[in-house]
Amino acid sequence: MAMQRPWAQTNWILVRLWRGCGFGYRYTRLPHLLKTKPEDANLPSLQKPCPSHLLQRHMAHLLSLDKDMAASFLNSVLNQLNWAFSEFIGMIQEIQQAAERPERNFVDTRQLKVCATCFDLSVSLLRVLEMTVTLVPEIFLDWARPSAELLLRRLAQLLNQVLNRVTAERNLFDRVVNLRLPGLESVDHYPILVAVTGILVRILVDSDRQGVSRAAAVLLSDPCFQLHSIQHLLGENEPPPTGPAPLPPAERKHFSLHAYTDYISAEEERKVEQMLSFLTQESKDAAASAAPTSEEDLCPICYAHPISAVFKPCSHKSCKACINQHLMNNKDCFFCKATITGVEDYSKPPSS
């Protein structure tokens, strides 16, 4: 599943199993496209969602039973999402730079199409992750499974990165969306933010108490976590930016899930409000109880977590999250390129 080269097409197929079940995912056309001229109702994009519950159950059964395959599949999806979203961000940066030139020499039509495809692929991969975490939450939340904590950390990292890129005040994403370029019609806040919201609600609201606690701890411990990115989902005010002067209130057009009552149910809105309230309190508690860590004790890869693993045979060190993620795709040491034959727990020796 989605592990060999034609993975883009595979993900479109997986998404067909889920569309109609996900958070705010019951539409035939995206909200921002309704104002454009009507298209032929026979087009696939306008067909009503018709998810396959039978195939969903088969997929859940497979992933639940085969732990190695589940870890390999999720690793593949997370790698693809990281690649697709990074490519998309790089492309919109080029598009914005072209738009700012006096001659307004826009990139060619083909590059705009590739940019839109990377965005659509990022959204579909997020929906595949939403489907997986809904059908088989233990893949991420049952830490008796060998890869669960690592997969949850990687998921949190990617969700935070997407949120921060798409919700920051006066950001690149906003500027390119507002250009309304032909070929980039699908690029908008709704599809990607609602897909991210679906995953967050599943792990932070719809899981059992232990799962919610683990998900919150991992999300908040990620150095990219910003509470105002979650607040943005409901159109709540962000803290004033430290850079250029903010836009006047009349010119701000914040995204808000509250504006999409035809697409998002009252129950879904309530869950997002519950999630925001919970994360707000968790953030305050985490800030109050955080113990300072000296720089030399921090992982030299992420600078976010304490050193907790030592590699064999070279004795270099990192946190477990970084080394476990690295070993899913590479067996060489970060630092000296020696082949890692084992990883042992590391505890800082007591000071004399």
Side-chain angles (χ1 to χ4, degrees), residues 292-300 303-308 317-319 346-349:
T293 304
S294 64
E295 188 170 332
E296 64 264 24
D297 294 333
L298 285 174
C299 169
Y303 286 98
H305 308 293
I307 292 171
S308 55
K317 303 177 186 71
S318 77
C319 67
Y346 172 80
S347 298
K348 184 181 179 183

Side-chain angles (χ1 to χ4, degrees), residues 49-343:
C50 187
S52 172
H53 298 286
L54 175 64
L55 290 176
Q56 286 176 21
R57 287 196 296 271
H58 281 314
M59 179 178 173
H61 182 68
L62 273 173
L63 294 176
S64 181
L65 287 182
D66 193 330
K67 295 179 181 179
D68 290 340
M69 185 192 70
S72 180
F73 169 65
L74 267 298
N75 182 52
S76 172
V77 173
L78 291 164
N79 285 345
Q80 292 165 29
L81 176 58
N82 185 54
W83 174 84
F85 190 70
S86 297
E87 285 290 305
F88 168 71
I89 292 298
M91 288 180 185
I92 63 173
Q93 195 165 14
E94 291 180 17
I95 291 167
Q96 173 62 22
Q97 289 169 352
E100 289 176 347
R101 296 188 194 118
E103 65 273 19
R104 292 178 68 82
N105 181 24
F106 286 129
V107 288
D108 61 34
T109 305
R110 181 182 175 279
Q111 190 164 359
L112 290 173
K113 184 176 180 181
V114 173
C115 180
T117 300
C118 284
F119 178 78
D120 295 340
L121 182 57
S122 298
V123 172
S124 84
L125 289 162
L126 286 165
R127 289 299 188 178
V128 170
L129 289 168
E130 181 193 22
M131 174 169 61
T132 307
V133 79
T134 301
L135 298 176
V136 203
E138 62 266 28
I139 291 180
F140 293 94
L141 300 175
D142 177 8
W143 287 1
R145 295 173 72 105
S147 300
E149 183 178 0
L150 167 63
L151 290 171
L152 183 60
R153 288 192 184 282
R154 291 193 64 196
L155 178 67
Q157 182 184 57
L158 280 166
L159 295 180
N160 282 328
Q161 288 174 0
V162 171
L163 277 173
N164 293 345
R165 288 285 194 173
V166 178
T167 65
E169 181 83 14
R170 305 181 73 180
N171 67 61
L172 179 63
F173 186 88
D174 284 344
R175 294 199 296 270
V176 170
V177 167
N178 290 333
L179 289 173
R180 300 297 175 194
L181 297 175
L184 292 188
E185 291 88 354
S186 67
V187 178
D188 200 76
H189 296 78
Y190 184 89
I192 196 159
L193 288 181
V194 174
V196 169
T197 302
I199 299 171
L200 291 173
V201 164
R202 181 62 187 86
I203 61 177
L204 293 169
V205 178
D206 290 338
S207 296
D208 59 31
R209 181 175 297 182
Q210 186 180 53
V212 168
S213 176
R214 286 174 175 170
V218 167
L219 189 73
L220 268 65
S221 69
D222 182 75
C224 294
F225 175 78
Q226 296 183 39
L227 183 62
H228 68 74
S229 289
I230 309 291
Q231 293 169 335
H232 185 104
L233 297 172
L234 294 174
E236 298 195 3
N237 292 332
E238 300 175 5
T242 55
L247 292 170
E251 295 183 35
R252 295 181 193 166
K253 293 183 179 179
H254 285 303
F255 172 87
S256 174
L257 294 173
H258 292 312
Y260 295 94
T261 51
D262 290 342
Y263 293 81
I264 297 170
S265 69
E267 174 70 6
E268 287 173 330
E269 280 191 73
R270 183 191 64 76
K271 287 182 178 182
V272 179
E273 290 168 351
Q274 181 181 338
M275 177 181 74
L276 176 56
S277 175
F278 171 65
L279 286 177
T280 300
Q281 186 59 50
E282 289 291 303
S283 296
K284 290 178 182 175
D285 293 346
S289 62
T293 304
S294 64
E295 188 170 332
E296 64 264 24
D297 294 333
L298 285 174
C299 169
I301 307 300
C302 65
Y303 286 98
H305 308 293
I307 292 171
S308 55
V310 58
F311 318 153
K312 298 298 178 185
C314 60
S315 297
H316 285 113
K317 303 177 186 71
S318 77
C319 67
K320 288 180 181 177
C322 282
I323 187 57
N324 287 340
Q325 179 174 337
H326 179 69
L327 288 175
M328 292 192 81
N329 299 294
N330 196 310
K331 303 302 180 186
D332 295 342
C333 173
F334 292 106
F335 308 99
C336 65
K337 303 304 179 185
T339 300
I340 297 173
T341 58
V343 178

Side-chain angles (χ1 to χ4, degrees), residues 7-39:
W7 43 260
Q9 292 86 346
T10 307
N11 284 305
W12 305 139
I13 295 169
L14 288 174
V15 165
R16 287 285 294 142
L17 308 182
W18 188 240
R19 186 174 181 183
C21 297
F23 185 97
Y25 200 37
R26 295 170 292 276
Y27 49 78
T28 54
R29 287 194 82 185
L30 285 163
H32 64 284
L33 296 180
L34 287 175
K35 296 177 183 177
T36 62
K37 63 180 182 179
E39 295 182 31

